[in-house]
Amino acid sequence: MKPTQKAMENPVLVEVTRGGRIESRHRGAVAVSDPDGRLVLALGDVDAAVFPRSAVKALQALPLIESGAADKYKLSEAEIALACASHSGEPIHVETARTALAKCGRDAGALECGVHWPLDPDAARALAASGAAASALHNNCSGKHAGFICVACAAGIDQRGYVKPRHLVQREVTAALEGATATKLDETSAGVDGCAIPAYALPLRSLARGFARFGTGVGLGPKRAAAAARLRAACAAHPHLVAGTGRFDTLVMTALGARAFVKGGAEGVHCAALSDLGFGVAIKCDDGAGRAAEVVMAALIARFLPLSDREHALLDARLNPPIRNWNGERVGGLAAAEVFGLLTKAT
Amino acid sequence: MKPTQKAMENPVLVEVTRGGRIESRHRGAVAVSDPDGRLVLALGDVDAAVFPRSAVKALQALPLIESGAADKYKLSEAEIALACASHSGEPIHVETARTALAKCGRDAGALECGVHWPLDPDAARALAASGAAASALHNNCSGKHAGFICVACAAGIDQRGYVKPRHLVQREVTAALEGATATKLDETSAGVDGCAIPAYALPLRSLARGFARFGTGVGLGPKRAAAAARLRAACAAHPHLVAGTGRFDTLVMTALGARAFVKGGAEGVHCAALSDLGFGVAIKCDDGAGRAAEVVMAALIARFLPLSDREHALLDARLNPPIRNWNGERVGGLAAAEVFGLLTKAT
C-alpha cells in the first residue's frame, strides 16, 4: 500500500553544528496541551498522526494497575516503573523483569517481545564477556511485557498471544490509550511495534492532551487517575529503571522527580507530563531522530518549569549536548533552533 | 559563534513507513556531476556547503600513493583499501591496520584518531568476550591514519601531530581534496572531524564533481589520475576492508566491483564514482541520517547503472530495506520518495 500523507514543511527544531557551521538540521512538530485539549504551544503540524511508539508505555501500563494485577501479585514500585520503561538491559533491569514475571508464575519463556542485546553498550559487552547470550529479558520492553503477562494471569486467561490486537490484554491497553488521549484508535491507524504489539498512530495534539490527563488525572475518572498517579510516582522514585545509565529520561526524572514525567519513543518521539503546570507535551521529529527530540524536550522543560540553578545545570548538558571527537575534544554540538527563540529564555 | 546559514527546503528523499503509513521522512540534496562540473541531476540545494566527513577518505588517501609512500613501504592492496575505509573493527581490519603501521616502523601508539569499540556489534562483543580492550586500531579510521603516518615517515619527518592542519600530512591531504574537487578550502570552511583531522565544508556539487574526477582521472593530471585508479582498484578488490560485514558500501562494491566506488560518511553523506558513466555522486541528508543516504544511493545506482538481474537482486534489499520487529517480522520499511519517481525506473 502506497502511503499518501502529504509532507508538511515543519520548522527546523534543532541544529547540529561543527566548527561554527550548521552540519545537519532536524525538523518536526511540538504540541503542548492542557487536559481539555487547549494548546499552550504548537509548532508545525500538530494535527498530523504520529506513531508514539514507546513514548506511551506508561499509558499502556494503566491496565496493570487498574485491573488489580499489580496488587494481586504484589508488584514492587520498581517493577511497576519497569513496566513503563525502555530500559538499557543492565543487570538491575533484567533482574526486575525476572522477579515481576516470577510473581505471576512465569519466566522469560513467556515473553513475546523478541530478543536483543542490551541497549547499553557496556552492559552488552559485560554480558558477552560473561559468556551469556542475550535473552528476551534484555529486550528494552521486557518490563512492559512482564506487566502485560501479569494482566493476563490475573484475569485467569492464557497469556499466550498477548501481543495480538484481539487478546484481552491488548484490548485493554488500546482502551486505556483511547481513554487517556480521547482518541478512537482502530485498524486504519494501526501498525506493529518493534516488540510485536499493535502501534496506533494518533494526532500529535491528542498525544499531548493524553499526557496532560495522565499528569493531572483530569478527565480520566477516579480509578484511572489513581492508576496514573501511581505509575508517575513509581517512575519518579525509580528513574534509573525507566531508561538507564546516562539516558535522557533517567537524568531528567532524577533531577526533577515528580515534576516531570518524560518518556522517549523510537523514531524521534518524546512525551512528557508536567503535572504541576497541568501540561502534556508531545514532540515528533520528522526524521525520527531521538537526539533532536531530547534537545527539544530539554528546551521545553527549561522554558516551562521553574528550575533551580542546580536543576538547570543538570539539564544544561542536554540542552546543548556537545559532539566530541574520539579524543574527547568538543568539535560541535546540538542546540534548539531559532524557532525556539521565544522558548529558550532559561538557557 | 552563532551559525547563520539559512535552511533551504530540500525535498523529501526517503520515506519510512510502518503499517502502510509514513512514520518518518528524510530531506536532503543530491548532485550528480560530470568531471567538468556539469550537473546530470540536481535535487535540492546543491550549492550549499556540506562536511563530507568520511565520504572523502579515498581522496584523502591520494597523497599516500602520489608521495610514493605506499610503494616505499610495499603496502599491500588490502592495506591501501583500508586507507580508504570506515571499517567495522573486525579482526581482519585491525590486523591490516597493524601490518600497515609495522611496515613504516610504527604501532598503534602512533595513531592519533582516538579509541572506540568496533562498529560491528558482533566484533565488539567478541573483543569484550576475549578479555581485551578496544584500541586505536579498532577505530574505524585506523587504516586512513596508518596511511597518514606512512606519508610522514616516507617524507622523513616526525609523524607526531599529523592530524593538525599545519602538519605536512594534512597540508598534502587538503591540497589533494582541493585538487580533486576544484575547490579552495580554508579555515572559514573548517571544522574538526571525529578522528581529529580537519574537516572542510564544500558545496555538494563540487563534491560530486570531485568524485567524477576521481572516477575518471579527468582533470587530475596523470600522476593523481593514476593514484585515483589504484585506490579505486584496491577498494574494488577488497570491498570488505572498506566497511565490513553487512555494510552498504561493502555490499555494493562486492556486487558491482569497479563499476561503482561508493563511500559513506557521518551525518548522512554518501558519495560515489560511477566510472563507466563518468559521473560523480554526492548526497547529503539534511538530518544526518545514514539510513536514508544509503537508500538514495541505491536508487541512484539502480537508475544510472545497467544492472543484471542478479546485481539488481543484490541491490534490492538496500533500495527498500525492511524494518523488522524483534521477532523478525516485517513491520515497515524505507523507500525513495516520490521526487525519485523519475529515477526509480529500475526498481
Side-chain angles (χ1 to χ4, degrees):
Chain A
M1 164 180 166
K2 181 72 188 162
T4 52
Q5 304 106 284
K6 201 173 147 288
M8 172 162 164
E9 298 288 356
N10 282 328
V12 173
L13 299 179
V14 171
E15 290 167 342
V16 183
T17 56
R18 179 175 300 268
R21 301 181 66 87
I22 295 172
E23 181 166 24
S24 299
R25 294 176 174 85
H26 297 283
R27 294 175 183 273
V30 176
V32 182
S33 176
D34 74 10
D36 297 321
R38 280 185 292 262
L39 289 170
V40 177
L41 171 72
L43 292 173
D45 185 359
V46 298
D47 294 310
V50 305
F51 285 112
R53 309 292 302 276
S54 291
V56 291
K57 274 177 174 166
L59 308 183
Q60 293 169 326
L62 287 165
L64 175 64
I65 309 298
E66 287 183 64
S67 70
D71 287 332
K72 177 171 181 177
Y73 297 119
K74 299 190 170 56
L75 294 191
S76 67
E77 199 174 43
E79 288 157 351
I80 290 170
L82 197 77
C84 304
S86 298
H87 67 71
S88 292
E90 300 169 52
I92 185 67
H93 301 123
V94 173
E95 185 54 25
T96 305
R98 192 193 318 272
T99 58
L101 284 167
K103 286 180 177 176
C104 68
R106 299 294 184 278
D107 62 19
L111 292 170
E112 299 181 9
C113 50
V115 173
H116 66 72
W117 283 82
L119 295 184
D120 183 73
D122 287 336
R125 292 193 291 261
L127 185 65
S130 77
S135 76
L137 291 169
H138 298 96
N139 186 306
N140 77 87
C141 302
S142 65
K144 177 177 78 170
H145 282 244
F148 290 160
I149 292 168
C150 285
V151 170
C153 292
I157 61 167
D158 190 346
Q159 94 278 349
R160 285 177 295 178
Y162 70 85
V163 296
K164 297 296 179 193
R166 292 207 179 77
H167 192 283
L168 171 75
V169 169
Q170 292 309 323
R171 285 189 279 121
E172 291 199 3
V173 166
T174 304
L177 272 175
E178 289 184 315
T181 61
T183 306
K184 179 79 191 131
L185 304 174
D186 59 32
E187 288 179 8
T188 64
S189 58
V192 177
D193 216 321
C195 66
I197 70 166
Y200 296 100
L202 72 169
L204 196 70
R205 62 187 302 161
S206 304
L207 194 55
R209 183 186 188 186
F211 276 90
R213 289 157 63 116
F214 176 76
T216 60
V218 174
L220 294 184
K223 190 175 177 184
R224 183 159 289 162
R230 190 164 164 193
L231 291 166
R232 294 198 321 269
C235 294
H238 301 277
H240 183 77
L241 290 176
V242 183
T245 302
R247 300 265 304 277
F248 180 89
D249 294 343
T250 294
L251 179 133
V252 170
M253 291 194 282
T254 300
L256 301 179
R259 299 165 64 202
F261 170 87
V262 291
K263 184 71 188 69
E267 292 292 334
V269 177
H270 228 108
C271 292
L274 307 178
S275 296
D276 294 352
L277 306 173
F279 295 167
V281 178
I283 299 159
K284 165 70 182 179
C285 292
D286 293 349
D287 52 59
R291 67 177 182 179
E294 291 181 357
V295 169
V296 173
M297 183 60 83
L300 292 171
I301 288 172
R303 164 62 184 86
F304 283 114
L305 283 185
L307 299 177
S308 69
D309 287 352
R310 185 179 154 277
E311 288 165 343
H312 204 281
L314 284 168
L315 199 63
D316 200 51
R318 301 305 179 123
L319 263 171
N320 296 109
I323 293 175
R324 299 186 187 281
N325 67 19
W326 294 110
N327 293 321
E329 296 154 347
R330 190 190 191 287
V331 294
L334 281 74
E338 207 160 311
V339 67
F340 274 88
L342 74 164
L343 301 173
T344 51
K345 73 167 172 63
T347 65
Chain B
M1 163 180 168
K2 180 74 188 164
T4 52
Q5 304 107 286
K6 201 173 147 288
M8 172 161 163
E9 298 287 355
N10 282 329
V12 173
L13 300 179
V14 172
E15 290 166 343
V16 182
T17 56
R18 180 175 298 270
R21 301 181 66 87
I22 295 172
E23 181 166 25
S24 299
R25 294 177 174 84
H26 297 283
R27 295 175 182 273
V30 176
V32 181
S33 176
D34 74 11
D36 298 320
R38 279 185 293 263
L39 289 170
V40 177
L41 171 73
L43 292 173
D45 185 1
V46 298
D47 294 309
V50 306
F51 286 112
R53 309 294 301 275
S54 291
V56 290
K57 275 176 173 166
L59 307 184
Q60 294 168 327
L62 287 164
L64 175 64
I65 309 298
E66 287 183 65
S67 70
D71 287 333
K72 176 171 183 178
Y73 296 119
K74 299 189 170 54
L75 294 191
S76 68
E77 200 173 42
E79 288 157 351
I80 290 170
L82 197 77
C84 304
S86 297
H87 67 70
S88 292
E90 299 168 54
I92 185 67
H93 302 122
V94 174
E95 184 54 25
T96 305
R98 192 194 317 273
T99 58
L101 283 167
K103 285 179 178 176
C104 68
R106 299 294 184 277
D107 62 19
L111 292 170
E112 299 181 9
C113 50
V115 174
H116 66 72
W117 284 82
L119 294 183
D120 182 73
D122 288 336
R125 291 193 292 261
L127 184 66
S130 77
S135 76
L137 291 170
H138 298 95
N139 187 308
N140 76 89
C141 303
S142 65
K144 177 177 78 172
H145 282 246
F148 290 159
I149 291 169
C150 286
V151 170
C153 293
I157 61 166
D158 189 346
Q159 93 278 349
R160 283 176 296 179
Y162 71 83
V163 296
K164 296 296 178 195
R166 292 206 179 79
H167 192 283
L168 171 75
V169 169
Q170 292 311 322
R171 284 188 280 121
E172 292 200 3
V173 166
T174 303
L177 272 176
E178 288 184 318
T181 61
T183 305
K184 178 79 191 130
L185 304 174
D186 59 32
E187 288 181 8
T188 64
S189 58
V192 178
D193 216 322
C195 67
I197 71 167
Y200 296 100
L202 71 168
L204 195 70
R205 62 187 303 161
S206 304
L207 194 55
R209 182 186 189 185
F211 276 91
R213 289 157 63 115
F214 176 77
T216 59
V218 173
L220 294 184
K223 188 175 178 186
R224 183 159 288 164
R230 190 165 164 195
L231 291 167
R232 295 197 320 267
C235 294
H238 300 277
H240 183 77
L241 291 177
V242 182
T245 301
R247 299 265 304 276
F248 180 89
D249 293 343
T250 294
L251 179 133
V252 170
M253 291 194 282
T254 300
L256 301 179
R259 300 166 64 203
F261 170 87
V262 291
K263 183 72 187 72
E267 293 292 333
V269 177
H270 228 107
C271 293
L274 306 179
S275 296
D276 294 353
L277 306 174
F279 295 167
V281 178
I283 299 159
K284 165 70 183 180
C285 292
D286 294 348
D287 52 61
R291 68 177 183 178
E294 291 181 357
V295 169
V296 173
M297 183 59 83
L300 292 171
I301 289 172
R303 164 63 184 84
F304 284 113
L305 284 185
L307 299 177
S308 69
D309 287 351
R310 186 182 153 276
E311 289 166 342
H312 203 281
L314 283 167
L315 199 64
D316 200 51
R318 303 305 178 123
L319 263 171
N320 296 107
I323 293 175
R324 298 186 188 281
N325 66 19
W326 294 111
N327 292 321
E329 297 154 346
R330 190 189 193 287
V331 295
L334 280 72
E338 207 161 309
V339 68
F340 274 87
L342 74 163
L343 302 173
T344 51
K345 73 168 174 59
T347 63

